[in-house]
Amino acid sequence: MPPESTRVQVKAEDALRDTAATLTRLFDVTATKDWANCGAHPVALPAQLSLRMRGSSKAEHDDMMTDPCP
């Protein structure tokens, strides 16, 4: 056990404030990307061209291609 005179090294309020700032920035970046993608126009590709990710199934590919924007 540490001696009685050991100071607190991290205050919960400071840790929560730092975490909130970090998460706010993350959510802002994610929301900005999502909003920008909603304005993107779909591109028609020839039927024979497949852009499926390597190793993904057709169902996974179809799930990724659903429009997240209303």
Side-chain angles (χ1 to χ4, degrees):
M1 301 242 341
E4 294 289 328
S5 63
T6 302
R7 293 178 156 258
V8 174
Q9 295 181 6
V10 177
K11 293 183 180 176
E13 186 175 328
D14 294 339
L16 290 172
R17 187 178 299 112
D18 292 345
T19 301
T22 301
L23 289 175
T24 298
R25 175 73 178 135
L26 172 68
F27 293 146
D28 284 349
V29 169
T30 301
T32 300
K33 286 171 40 181
D34 287 347
W35 183 256
N37 286 337
C38 285
H41 298 286
V43 176
L45 298 174
Q48 68 271 20
L49 180 62
S50 175
L51 297 178
R52 195 177 326 163
M53 291 175 53
R54 186 180 305 176
S56 66
S57 69
K58 180 172 179 356
E60 290 171 325
H61 176 264
D62 291 344
D63 285 345
M64 287 186 288
M65 299 309 291
T66 57
D67 187 3
C69 305

